[in-house]
Amino acid sequence: MENRSIVSIADYRKDKIQYLLDMAREFETHPNRELLKGKVVATLFFEPSTRTRLSFETAANRLGAKVIGFSDPKATSSSKGETLKDTIKMVSSYADVIVMRHKLEGAALYASEVTNIPIINAGDGSNLHPSQTMLDLYSIYKTQGTLENLNIYMVGDLKYGRTVHSLLMSMRTYNPTFHFIAPKELEMPEEYKLYCKQNGIKYIEQQDFTEETIADADILYMTRVQRERFTDLMEYERVKDAYVLKANMLGKCKENMKILHPLPRVNEIEYDVDDSKHAYYFEQAQNGLYAREALICDVLGITLDEVRNDRTIIK
Amino acid sequence: MMVAALESGSVIDHIPTDKLFTIAQLLELENFKEEVVIANNLDSQIMTRKGLIKIAGKFFSEAEINKLAVVCPNIRLTVIKDYQVVEKRQVTLPDTLTNIVKCANPVCITNNEPMKTVFYRMDTQTLKCRYCGKEQKLKDIKLK
Ligand SMILES: [Zn+2]
């Protein structure tokens, strides 16, 4: 049987991305259905992540599925030394799909190799986080009307921020121009710059984050600059306020510009930005629900046509 | 230098002189009961100096050859049966290495589960872990 797992969407083709975006849009129109009645979705969070888990569980619940799982690895037998393989095998005999998050890189791919039921990767280490990427793409598509030819500004921690790495790779075929705005210690890693060069993706690197430098952005993608990421704490003290977005920096920005952030924020977006028409991060989080409804249905083999002709919609 | 002809077995030739003892260790030559010849700093036509190992009664499996290829690309392997050369080939790094090398990434799943590693050859100097995706230089690679 073909394994329909979603481990990474970095290599998805345009038509597949569009298909999932169209499906997410259907779920935005009608989020509540009984399409997955009788199905069991397992959420296995070997590494805690309350937001991601709640979003997936809400998606499953709104489609009528039952949810089992754990949110704290301490409560599971993996803390007693059970292998990942054994845990996945055991849960596979109960559930129709596994949503998993793990602190080790490659865990989701390995899990998908040891079971016949589909795996959805909800983040494995610093490696991949495809459902976040999908909701980012959906948010960009929804607000800009296209994914093509956009100026995407990534700000803050570009070194450890896996959401920006996943987004960068998945935008490969849409002719974006990236602006990487980060302190020296947290700049975009060489391997991703190489990826850009190899794939003909334009990018500009800068350290200044001002009203002028962001004036041409279509998307301003903010990330957290965390103290623990710095080896040099003097450097942290010097730059910590330099990558904070303030309402008075939005004077020159484009009409269509939207601010995204994977949340939770700490202080990198000031609260006065929330009232701006450019602020989009809360809607973005909500889009995560529709994107995840689409991912769960896709791995279970439910097609876009079936979603469009669905008679189980709850109005 | 005189070395008796091999009736049956394998000859590993064109070993860089600084790799000879790594290879000897890797092959666990101390465990072989039949004749083993280890020679170093021999004159070579294509290298300035080379090492060579002859092992009587030994025929390498594909997995063992792949291991040799990781430690030492470009060595030459000759297989002899009844004093005849039955196979002579340049050992090359295969496209996929299964369970031969260890991932250098401590937070890779392969270092934390009882499982096989899989590496892909990116170019002659670089391998990439199937699981964590990290590229690793051949010269830094550790065997599993
Ligand atoms: Zn690895």
Side-chain angles (χ1 to χ4, degrees):
Chain A
M1 201 190 87
E2 176 205 8
N3 192 322
R4 302 186 56 93
S5 294
I6 297 178
V7 173
S8 165
I9 61 167
D11 52 1
Y12 271 20
R13 291 193 351 215
K14 261 185 180 175
D15 53 351
K16 177 69 180 188
I17 297 274
Q18 190 59 48
Y19 177 92
L20 291 171
L21 294 175
D22 290 345
M23 203 189 275
R25 177 157 291 194
E26 294 294 322
F27 288 120
E28 176 159 12
T29 315
H30 298 291
N32 299 321
R33 303 163 183 246
E34 293 194 318
L35 202 52
L36 299 185
K37 198 174 176 188
K39 300 280 188 205
V40 174
V41 175
T43 54
L44 309 186
F45 279 64
F46 298 91
E47 175 188 59
S49 171
T50 308
R51 273 158 211 280
T52 306
R53 185 174 57 82
L54 287 179
S55 180
F56 268 111
E57 292 186 355
T58 306
N61 278 309
R62 286 190 181 274
L63 293 172
K66 295 271 196 294
V67 176
I68 61 167
F70 52 81
S71 55
D72 181 357
K74 286 200 263 323
T76 72
S77 46
S78 58
S79 64
K80 295 176 196 148
E82 187 180 43
T83 61
L84 175 61
K85 178 180 179 176
D86 288 6
T87 307
I88 295 292
K89 286 274 193 206
M90 185 258 304
V91 175
S92 299
S93 60
Y94 306 147
D96 298 288
V97 50
I98 293 174
V99 176
M100 66 174 275
R101 184 176 185 108
H102 203 287
K103 68 179 195 303
L104 295 173
E105 298 177 13
L109 176 59
Y110 178 60
S112 74
E113 292 172 349
V114 300
T115 177
N116 291 322
I117 73 166
I119 301 280
I120 298 177
N121 185 3
D124 55 350
S126 60
N127 203 16
L128 295 162
H129 196 356
S131 71
Q132 177 71 43
T133 307
M134 205 56 227
L135 79 88
D136 289 343
L137 291 177
Y138 186 58
S139 299
I140 296 170
Y141 181 67
K142 220 174 107 178
T143 58
Q144 308 298 319
T146 178
L147 293 174
E148 304 280 350
N149 310 319
L150 297 172
N151 291 331
I152 300 178
Y153 285 55
M154 295 173 162
V155 182
D157 178 359
L158 306 186
K159 183 173 180 186
Y160 299 101
R162 67 176 161 193
T163 56
V164 295
H165 303 155
S166 292
L167 181 62
L168 182 154
M169 292 195 286
S170 62
M171 289 296 292
R172 176 186 74 250
T173 53
Y174 298 100
N175 190 37
T177 302
F178 286 110
H179 290 247
F180 303 143
I181 304 179
K184 196 86 189 113
E185 263 210 56
L186 300 179
E187 67 180 24
M188 187 61 77
E190 218 40 61
E191 59 176 299
Y192 292 103
K193 287 189 261 180
L194 186 65
Y195 181 90
C196 287
K197 284 173 195 152
Q198 286 167 343
N199 288 280
I201 300 171
K202 299 182 283 296
Y203 70 87
I204 295 154
E205 282 187 288
Q206 56 202 114
Q207 287 174 16
D208 288 343
F209 182 48
T210 65
E211 185 175 8
E212 279 71 33
T213 57
I214 61 171
D216 200 31
D218 296 308
I219 293 291
L220 192 57
Y221 199 105
M222 300 295 297
T223 63
R224 278 189 301 288
V225 174
Q226 294 163 286
R227 192 171 189 272
E228 58 268 27
R229 297 299 195 194
F230 283 81
T231 49
D232 180 357
L233 287 179
M234 301 251 299
E235 172 72 2
Y236 170 74
E237 290 302 323
R238 202 177 60 75
V239 304
K240 67 174 183 190
D241 297 324
Y243 300 92
V244 174
L245 182 63
K246 304 174 184 72
N248 66 15
M249 292 166 67
L250 299 172
K252 293 186 174 149
C253 72
K254 285 163 84 169
E255 191 66 16
N256 62 307
M257 193 277 273
K258 293 291 180 215
I259 304 157
L260 303 186
H261 189 298
L263 300 183
R265 71 171 149 179
V266 183
N267 65 345
E268 56 281 353
I269 301 176
E270 286 198 344
Y271 287 96
D272 59 1
V273 176
D274 295 0
D275 302 326
S276 152
K277 64 176 179 173
H278 300 290
Y280 195 71
Y281 26 94
F282 295 117
E283 289 93 334
Q284 179 191 4
Q286 193 179 357
N287 288 337
L289 173 63
Y290 315 129
R292 290 179 173 114
E293 286 185 288
L295 294 179
I296 294 172
C297 285
D298 185 57
V299 298
L300 286 170
I302 295 167
T303 65
L304 179 57
D305 272 349
E306 286 170 306
V307 172
R308 282 186 172 141
N309 299 315
D310 182 14
R311 299 198 181 281
T312 72
I313 290 169
I314 303 165
K315 294 206 167 121
Chain B
M1 184 169 169
M2 292 297 293
V3 177
L6 205 54
E7 184 202 326
S8 244
S10 302
V11 180
I12 307 167
D13 200 354
H14 295 163
I15 305 173
T17 52
D18 60 334
K19 289 282 176 64
L20 180 77
F21 291 98
T22 311
I23 298 260
Q25 217 160 33
L26 174 72
L27 295 174
E28 298 177 356
L29 288 184
E30 67 272 21
N31 297 329
F32 285 102
K33 297 287 175 261
E34 293 193 49
E35 197 175 81
V36 173
V37 175
I38 304 175
N40 210 7
N41 299 326
L42 303 175
D43 282 324
S44 164
Q45 274 147 21
I46 55 169
M47 311 158 78
T48 47
R49 293 276 166 149
K50 65 172 186 176
L52 174 147
I53 298 174
K54 283 189 183 187
I55 313 167
K58 172 70 185 172
F59 303 100
F60 290 105
S61 69
E62 210 52 39
E64 288 173 311
I65 294 170
N66 287 343
K67 240 180 211 188
L68 290 174
V70 171
V71 179
C72 204
N74 304 322
I75 53 180
R76 201 170 62 188
L77 182 70
T78 309
V79 180
I80 295 166
K81 283 179 182 162
D82 297 326
Y83 298 106
Q84 302 292 313
V85 172
V86 293
E87 193 188 350
K88 191 171 219 171
R89 66 156 149 158
Q90 186 83 27
V91 172
T92 53
L93 204 56
D95 294 340
T96 306
L97 290 159
T98 303
N99 218 25
I100 303 241
V101 305
K102 186 173 150 49
C103 185
N105 177 5
V107 293
C108 176
I109 186 71
T110 60
N111 287 318
N112 296 274
E113 273 275 309
M115 61 183 284
K116 289 180 175 166
T117 63
V118 177
F119 278 79
Y120 302 118
R121 186 190 57 175
M122 307 309 285
D123 55 52
T124 55
Q125 301 303 318
T126 319
L127 299 178
K128 182 177 181 172
C129 174
R130 165 173 171 80
Y131 292 95
C132 71
K134 295 280 180 298
E135 293 195 353
Q136 295 158 42
K137 289 293 168 201
L138 208 55
K139 62 177 171 52
D140 306 324
I141 281 287
K142 297 251 183 308
L143 292 173
K144 222 187 149 179

